[in-house]
Amino acid sequence: MIFENIITSLHGEGERKTGLITLNRPKQLNALNDALMDELGSALRAFDADAGIGCIVITGSEKAFAAGADISAMAKFNLTDTYGSDFITRNWETIRSIRKPVIAAVAGFALGGGCELAMMCDFIIAADTAKFGQPEIKLGIIPGAGGTQRLPRAVGKAKAMDMVLTGRMMDATEAERTGLVSRVVPLAELMSVALAAAQSINELSGMSVMMAKESVNRAFEGTLADGVMFERRLFHSLFATVDQKEGMDAFLNKRKPVFVQR
Ligand code: HXC
């Protein structure tokens, strides 16, 4: 596929590869406009549908993962443009429907919609240069792609209120301490660490990986009792797969499993 605002590439060894999506509007610090988000949605859907892909990584540049929604595109919007056209819903929700794991590899600024995009991924690996923030309040608006909902779930109410109400940035150390990111690594190692994490996922049984993702996501919706029951049923169903037999047999016979994705 030919894109103008993102670059896609395949990485890794073995039968299942990693689909890497690099946001690529460097002059605008990867500000997220409709064209970029449409391309991101297309690339995500294509990778999700490709049996040769096990995991997806989204990254930006060294300076910016993404500095937010494109302010120049939004500046003249009125209520008809936003509410009337259901601004952002069209192409921002695609990532939520992706069933394979999506890792955000973040260096530099992840602000506003950029922070929200990173939080929509399954987990975030950050370079030590990463800076996260929801500065929308300084523009006279509020986060519009889930920031007020996902940030408190990730870092708790006090930190989320601080970030959303003051618009200040959080550095990588604070982001790891508060649970926004899973790991912080030196900038030079960001892509090798993120691609290695993806590669380790590629080597697993894809059905157990997708069910694990579905089950963890369920923890953020509904009650604990419902979530535990949902997990139990997915757990039960994995005993119908060839890969469960293989995984357990390999362990018992002290060998590396060879998963067949069935
Ligand atoms: C459009 C942007 C942009 C953005 C940066 N640029 N962020 N253009 N939308 N969100 C452009 C600048 O205008 C500038 O263009 C170029 O990128 C480089 O940016 P500088 O400001 O010169 O760089 P620097 O001084 O290093 O500052 C970096 C920065 C700053 C701190 C990230 O650019 C900044 O504060 N950006 C805005 C961040 C923000 O408010 N994000 C939230 C947006 S609202 P020129 O042409 O001058 O070189 C949002 C709502 C989401 O995300 C709602 C759901 C979708």
Side-chain angles (χ1 to χ4, degrees):
M1 277 177 286
I2 307 290
F3 296 114
E4 289 176 6
N5 301 284
I6 62 172
I7 299 166
T8 59
S9 53
L10 298 185
H11 296 261
E13 311 297 324
E15 282 181 21
R16 297 198 316 153
K17 306 270 187 271
T18 299
L20 174 65
I21 301 173
T22 304
L23 309 179
N24 189 36
R25 295 186 76 211
K27 283 192 194 131
Q28 296 84 8
L29 304 185
N30 291 331
L32 305 166
N33 61 8
D34 271 350
L36 186 153
M37 292 308 293
D38 283 345
E39 291 184 5
L40 178 62
S42 300
L44 285 167
R45 276 193 298 271
F47 282 153
D48 207 32
D50 184 340
I53 304 276
C55 190
I56 300 166
V57 176
I58 302 178
T59 195
S61 69
E62 286 195 1
K63 171 131 196 211
F65 177 75
D70 192 322
I71 300 169
S72 61
M74 280 186 300
K76 293 201 174 67
F77 280 2
N78 59 30
L79 182 64
T80 313
D81 299 315
T82 54
Y83 183 78
S85 70
D86 206 7
F87 172 54
I88 81 162
T89 303
R90 178 181 106 220
N91 49 23
W92 281 74
E93 302 285 311
T94 307
I95 191 166
R96 293 179 53 209
S97 66
I98 301 303
R99 300 178 74 202
K100 291 172 185 169
V102 184
I103 302 170
V106 174
F109 298 111
L111 302 178
C115 186
E116 292 170 306
L117 175 62
M119 288 192 290
M120 285 185 217
C121 297
D122 296 314
F123 62 96
I124 302 171
I125 298 179
D128 49 10
T129 60
K131 287 194 185 333
F132 299 88
Q134 298 290 162
E136 289 91 339
I137 205 79
K138 296 180 180 174
L139 299 169
I141 57 170
I142 66 170
T148 65
Q149 305 304 301
R150 290 194 180 90
L151 194 59
R153 281 168 169 81
V155 304
K157 178 183 168 184
K159 285 278 180 194
M161 282 290 193
D162 180 0
M163 305 288 294
V164 169
L165 295 180
T166 70
R168 78 171 174 90
M169 293 185 213
M170 196 186 252
D171 67 15
T173 306
E174 187 178 6
E176 186 180 32
R177 190 172 70 238
T178 55
L180 181 59
V181 310
S182 68
R183 321 180 198 180
V184 176
V185 299
L187 174 62
E189 292 167 27
L190 177 65
M191 291 320 296
S192 60
V193 170
L195 291 172
Q199 172 72 26
S200 71
I201 292 171
N202 293 339
E203 291 167 10
L204 302 170
S205 172
M207 270 186 297
S208 62
V209 166
M210 286 198 299
M211 286 195 198
K213 167 171 171 163
E214 215 178 336
S215 200
V216 173
N217 279 335
R218 194 69 169 231
F220 298 96
E221 293 156 17
T223 64
L224 177 63
D226 283 346
V228 169
M229 184 52 72
F230 182 76
E231 178 198 79
R232 193 76 31 93
R233 294 295 175 244
L234 293 181
F235 172 78
H236 291 158
S237 69
L238 283 166
F239 285 77
T241 64
V242 176
D243 284 342
Q244 171 270 327
K245 304 284 177 293
E246 169 64 10
M248 293 192 180
D249 184 74
F251 175 81
L252 293 174
N253 288 297
K254 303 189 189 306
R255 63 180 176 81
K256 202 170 179 291
V258 181
F259 292 119
V260 293
Q261 309 304 332
R262 287 200 307 278

